Amino acid sequence: WNQQMMKELGGAADYYVVHNYFTPYKKNISPAEVLHAADSVPAAQMKYVTGCLAAAGAPVKPIAMDEWNMFASGNMQQVSEASGLFADIVIGESLTNKYGLACRWDMLNSWEGGNDHGLFSAGDEEGVAKWSPRPSFYHLYYLQKMQGDRLVGVESSDTVIRAYGSTFSSGEANVTLVNVSSMTRTVQLAWKGFEAGQRYYWYTLSRGDDNGAFSRRVYVNGKGPAGVAGGPGDYAAIPAWSAPTAGGIAVTVPAYGAVFLTVEKKISL
């Protein structure tokens, strides 16, 4: 019906809308499967939609993924630190595949034993106050804090590291690194067409040791939550780790963890 609708529109649409919940409905799947869906679905969906447009002879317009999350359930996947990694990759792949908009569903929902799409707790989760941020909030917060305003290409020789690069109009460079494996990785960074300044800064987000592969806790530069879930309450005041660029730029990305890194620009005197 999509193709017929597009023909009937006659090019009148301003944009097209897609929704996607990425993983099989209510299936209890592993972190690797969750993250593979985040990595592969945006490109497949864009290919499908643009193919429908071409088949219908319809003009290409901006495509908005105005509702996304996961349907994985049974092991608190939706409220876990892995859901934060999932969010990092979905945003990276949405940018890479040129979506005009990508909106996560949703702000507040209901606990349902951990099958909760809410970015914040609704207060119906034992031991967790209403509006407490979930791990996905922390991932999206630091992604936004450290990401530039222009996407740039990244080449990675490590098949378990998902990397997304950006630059700031003010000159700095950024890379987001997501480890989709159960092994810690050390990543050495090199740059093309960019002269690094004196220092680089980063935040490392890692999971806790609760609930097996789907921890409800997230740690930011080693600081974690006071309670059973979420992350540090003083997240906005946590300083970035920093090191000089003179010895090279390298970071450790925890198993099923992420690093958000920004490098100073070189200042010519």
Side-chain angles (χ1 to χ4, degrees):
W1 66 269
N2 278 333
Q3 291 186 19
Q4 186 61 36
M5 176 195 68
M6 291 166 183
K7 289 178 182 178
E8 293 296 328
L9 283 172
D14 295 315
Y15 59 91
Y16 305 106
V17 170
V18 294
H19 293 177
N20 207 309
Y21 282 76
F22 283 75
T23 61
Y25 185 64
K26 290 189 175 181
K27 186 175 181 181
N28 191 347
I29 61 176
S30 68
E33 291 172 296
V34 168
L35 300 181
H36 175 70
D39 190 39
S40 58
V41 168
Q45 179 175 247
M46 182 61 77
K47 182 179 179 181
Y48 171 77
V49 173
T50 53
C52 287
L53 292 172
V60 175
K61 299 288 182 72
I63 296 170
M65 185 160 55
D66 66 350
E67 191 175 312
W68 64 264
N69 207 301
M70 71 171 81
F71 272 143
S73 63
N75 203 8
M76 301 189 187
Q77 289 97 327
Q78 296 172 23
V79 299
S80 71
E81 196 268 342
S83 179
L85 301 174
F86 172 82
D88 296 334
I89 296 174
V90 169
I91 294 298
E93 291 300 318
S94 296
L95 289 167
T96 300
N97 288 283
K98 301 180 180 180
Y99 285 85
L101 178 77
C103 292
R104 186 183 187 275
W105 177 270
D106 56 0
M107 297 290 286
L108 202 71
N109 214 299
S110 60
W111 175 235
E112 293 186 11
N115 301 322
D116 187 347
H117 287 142
L119 198 62
F120 302 92
S121 173
D124 52 357
E125 175 183 356
E126 185 177 355
V128 180
K130 188 174 183 178
W131 294 112
S132 295
R134 297 258 168 74
S136 292
F137 167 85
Y138 292 88
H139 278 266
L140 292 169
Y141 175 85
Y142 289 102
L143 174 66
Q144 183 183 48
K145 181 181 179 71
M146 301 297 278
Q147 190 174 56
D149 47 29
R150 298 174 295 192
L151 188 71
V152 296
V154 176
E155 296 177 1
S156 175
S157 60
D158 192 327
T159 58
V160 302
I161 295 293
R162 301 295 176 266
Y164 304 98
S166 65
T167 59
F168 293 78
S169 54
S170 52
E172 298 81 7
N174 151 267
V175 66
T176 296
L177 304 168
V178 181
N179 185 349
V180 300
S181 79
S182 59
M183 301 291 292
T184 298
R185 314 294 272 199
T186 297
V187 178
Q188 184 82 35
L189 301 177
W191 307 87
K192 295 179 181 178
F194 171 75
E195 291 188 88
Q198 294 185 350
R199 300 193 70 81
Y200 62 102
Y201 306 84
W202 74 98
Y203 289 94
T204 298
L205 273 63
S206 57
R207 62 183 178 175
D209 58 4
D210 61 299
N211 198 39
F214 290 107
S215 172
R216 293 165 61 197
R217 300 188 181 112
V218 61
Y219 289 77
V220 180
N221 287 0
K223 296 193 69 174
V228 298
D234 61 345
Y235 63 89
I238 296 174
W241 283 334
S242 177
T245 59
I249 301 173
V251 287
T252 298
V253 189
Y256 290 120
V259 167
F260 308 98
L261 181 148
T262 300
V263 188
E264 291 179 340
K265 66 177 180 178
K266 184 177 180 179
I267 299 175
S268 300
L269 300 177

